[in-house]
Amino acid sequence: MYKLKENDFVCILTGAGISAESGIQTFRDGDGLWENHRVEDVATPEGFIKNPILVWKFYKERYAAALDAEPNPGHKALVDLEAMIPDKFFLITQNVDGLHRRAGSQNLVEMHGRLSACFCIKCAKHFQLTEINLKPALPHCPACGNYLRPDIVWFGEMPYHMDQILATIKKCTVFITIGTSGNVYPAASFMAEARKIGAVTITVNLEEPLNNQETQHFIKGKAGEILPGLVKDMTAELG
Ligand code: OAD
């Protein structure tokens, strides 16, 4: 496997697969439903307008499940990697479960939002779920009284931190994709961007992702089993 050099800058993209071993269900394994819901019903602005109570119920349950889960050795291996190259590490996650943050990752962006937060559809003020009254089926904004919505980037909406993500990918020399099926854009295009500028590309996944043609090194298996050894191996020549 590729050995990191002093000047390497590592960019990592993670998806639902890295949290699977923490007990969080992925999106596209199995029957195409997300915890028995159609994606259009619970992960689009139109779904929220149609049935905001259902959408809130769904995300409250996902939030509770995420709080019950613990980071696994895959999340922890990325914390160890960052500790070894703190100024040359950038982690992009599509996950909304907060497990990377709880594991201790620092230079991290959560491009699809966070289960732990929400914002007002009128005044746009953001809140942690711990700051609001979650008892009503449709929680209200403490500032202006209008409806709140989960701070999740739904289909048809612009992911967060895109400027920072694209700028950082432009300077990376190693790009690692972990536990993502390559179905959802723009995230699925990041590895191709890194490849264009000559970065070494590595994928760790249970099965070949849709965009696997951009990968120079494909490692098939579970993130929690592979990442601790991979990080050790890749950093073996660093001082
Ligand atoms: P998917 O469910 O589409 O893909 C998860 C990938 O992880 C699959 O390729 C699995 O084979 C793989 N996998 C499962 N268990 C694994 C393990 N233990 N180790 C390694 N790989 C494993 O999830 P994402 O690609 O993350 O968007 O989905 C992308 C986006 O689609 C999500 O962020 C979400 C969803 O709609 C929003 O919520 C906005």
Side-chain angles (χ1 to χ4, degrees):
M1 181 43 65
Y2 180 78
K3 307 278 190 244
L4 290 177
K5 318 280 180 301
E6 293 300 334
N7 288 332
D8 274 325
F9 190 106
V10 180
C11 236
I12 298 177
L13 172 70
T14 65
I18 196 166
S19 292
E21 288 153 88
S22 296
I24 308 268
Q25 201 193 344
T26 60
F27 297 95
R28 292 178 185 78
D29 292 324
D31 52 13
L33 295 176
W34 186 11
E35 299 280 354
N36 296 321
H37 292 281
R38 294 188 322 151
V39 167
E40 307 88 83
D41 293 337
V42 293
T44 61
E46 295 76 23
F48 184 71
I49 290 165
K50 210 167 123 197
N51 194 344
I53 290 179
L54 169 82
V55 172
W56 259 113
K57 179 173 180 296
F58 177 77
Y59 285 99
K60 282 179 193 173
E61 287 167 8
R62 301 282 72 69
Y63 176 53
L67 285 183
D68 268 353
E70 293 297 331
N72 67 54
H75 298 105
K76 290 177 190 157
L78 298 187
V79 177
D80 293 343
L81 176 59
E82 182 172 11
M84 281 182 262
I85 49 167
D87 305 326
K88 292 171 181 157
F89 176 96
F90 186 61
L91 175 55
I92 308 158
T93 189
Q94 299 168 86
N95 298 345
V96 294
D97 55 35
L99 289 176
H100 283 302
R101 239 180 315 118
R102 282 174 49 204
S105 289
Q106 307 274 321
N107 203 7
L108 159 75
V109 290
E110 296 169 304
M111 66 178 289
H112 287 166
R114 298 166 296 166
L115 284 169
S116 60
C118 62
F119 65 91
C120 177
I121 59 167
K122 180 88 173 162
C123 75
K125 212 167 166 213
H126 278 71
F127 301 93
Q128 295 298 311
L129 293 201
T130 48
E131 295 176 296
I132 60 158
N133 180 5
L134 275 179
K135 285 213 180 87
L138 199 45
H140 286 83
C141 174
C144 78
N146 224 290
Y147 296 140
L148 294 164
R149 60 160 270 185
D151 190 11
I152 303 292
V153 176
W154 287 325
F155 285 96
E157 297 181 324
M158 179 60 85
Y160 294 143
H161 312 292
M162 282 305 294
D163 289 350
Q164 187 188 1
I165 289 171
L166 294 177
T168 311
I169 290 173
K170 281 209 178 88
K171 65 177 185 184
C172 82
T173 57
V174 177
F175 191 92
I176 309 176
T177 303
I178 304 160
T180 175
S181 60
N183 270 286
V184 174
Y185 284 80
S189 67
F190 294 165
M191 197 160 50
E193 292 304 314
R195 187 97 193 262
K196 265 189 222 155
I197 55 136
V200 174
T201 54
I202 301 167
T203 293
V204 177
N205 217 64
L206 262 191
E207 60 195 14
E208 286 195 18
L210 287 184
N211 54 353
N212 208 35
Q213 74 280 359
E214 304 298 343
T215 303
Q216 291 162 315
H217 305 277
F218 175 60
I219 307 170
K220 190 180 169 78
K222 292 187 174 177
E225 292 173 4
I226 287 170
L227 289 178
L230 182 69
V231 165
K232 221 170 164 190
D233 187 31
M234 287 183 72
T235 56
E237 291 177 5
L238 291 179

